[in-house]
Amino acid sequence: MTSKLRLGVNIDHVATVRNARGGDNPDPVRAALLAQDAGADGITAHLREDRRHIRDEDIAALKDAISIPLNFEMAATDEMQAIALAAKPHAVCLVPERREERTTEGGLDVAGDDNRLAAYITPFKAEGTRVSLFIGADERQVRAAARIGADIIELHAGGYCDAHAEGRFDERDAEFVRLRDMATLAHSLGLEVHAGHGFTFDSVTPVAALPEIVELNIGHFLIGEAIFTGLDPAIKEMRRLMDEARA
């Protein structure tokens, strides 16, 4: 088990601000390069079916510009499969997607769609692209992810983070136990374990301390914090908190 805890920075919401007005500014590629310089270990970008933030040309530009891994979040559709196979990112992370949602609301139902997803990820495995599945902290989903041959699971930490932010501490603690137990199970099944969705400076430490988790993917909070402090200080503070928790 590694003691290194990686930080993946999601730059989607730089593109959200750009698209609110149109044009090219602010540039998500510039944000990715700033994140890389600030100590990010990877960049995450979600190309949604409705292109509400990241656009097709952003993926190619990111791939060309950064020297750290690109994690391509995507729905498990034929269109996205073709784009990802052409782009050849370091990893793809399959997420559920509904057009009307503001953000990803839950985990992928791997257990209920295992045959299709097993076939869907086969071309990525053949290309050497790592496959991650964004799932809830649920034993059926963790076991299904291992069964179909995923390399990684990313545990949806939104329930834990929301409960913490809203002061529902009993619920937060119960969510944390689920995250901890499913990280332990996934690691025992040979899966690499990541977590993401909703982390802030206030909520990150307990999850960052879990030794089975090797990567946290954080975006919206860091981009929001960057409005006030700048992206470099925001990332460096998150990196500091993660490192302290792991130490």
Side-chain angles (χ1 to χ4, degrees):
M1 187 183 303
T2 180
S3 62
K4 168 68 174 174
L5 181 60
R6 301 191 300 262
L7 171 60
V9 174
N10 185 314
I11 47 82
D12 288 354
H13 294 298
V14 176
T16 300
V17 176
R18 175 195 64 190
N19 295 356
R21 184 164 179 167
D24 297 325
N25 294 304
D27 180 7
V29 175
R30 183 180 178 190
L33 290 170
L34 284 168
Q36 177 176 280
D37 290 344
D41 299 291
I43 298 297
T44 293
H46 183 176
L47 185 65
R48 283 182 171 267
E49 293 181 274
D50 62 8
R51 310 306 198 266
R52 71 178 65 168
H53 36 63
I54 295 297
R55 302 189 297 230
D56 298 59
E57 59 268 25
D58 294 327
I59 297 298
L62 286 165
K63 184 80 169 9
D64 289 343
I66 62 176
S67 58
I68 54 179
L70 175 62
N71 176 36
F72 182 11
E73 285 192 348
M74 54 182 273
T77 65
D78 291 344
E79 178 197 24
M80 290 300 152
Q81 185 186 57
I83 291 169
L85 287 170
K88 293 181 169 54
H90 173 76
V92 295
C93 182
L94 304 186
V95 302
E97 191 173 306
R98 295 190 303 115
R99 292 289 176 97
E100 64 270 25
E101 69 186 0
R102 286 182 296 175
T103 185
T104 305
E105 293 175 346
L108 198 66
D109 182 14
V110 185
D113 199 17
D114 54 350
N115 288 335
R116 184 183 77 89
L117 289 172
Y120 187 87
I121 69 175
T122 298
F124 295 114
K125 303 281 286 185
E127 290 281 348
T129 300
R130 306 193 76 208
V131 175
S132 176
L133 304 177
F134 186 71
I135 62 173
D138 175 85
E139 182 174 351
R140 287 180 65 247
Q141 304 301 340
V142 172
R143 291 190 181 279
R147 187 169 64 248
I148 71 168
D151 302 292
I152 305 159
I153 59 162
E154 181 170 340
L155 292 171
H156 189 330
Y160 160 81
C161 293
D162 290 346
H164 178 84
E166 295 165 12
R168 295 180 281 112
F169 298 130
D170 288 346
E171 292 179 46
R172 175 203 63 189
D173 294 346
E175 289 288 343
F176 175 78
V177 168
R178 280 191 280 275
L179 290 169
R180 181 198 66 196
D181 291 350
M182 290 307 102
T184 300
L185 173 63
H187 178 75
S188 75
L189 295 172
L191 291 160
E192 184 173 304
V193 188
H194 301 177
H197 203 87
F199 288 117
T200 68
F201 294 152
D202 292 334
S203 62
V204 74
T205 296
V207 177
L210 295 174
E212 295 84 4
I213 293 179
V214 301
E215 181 172 305
L216 299 180
N217 282 298
I218 306 174
H220 184 266
F221 173 77
L222 290 174
I223 302 308
E225 191 68 12
I227 294 171
F228 304 105
T229 68
L231 190 56
D232 181 90
I235 290 172
K236 286 180 176 174
E237 176 62 8
M238 187 64 78
R239 173 82 270 167
R240 182 188 71 80
L241 290 167
M242 289 167 56
D243 289 345
E244 281 188 0
R246 185 51 57 94

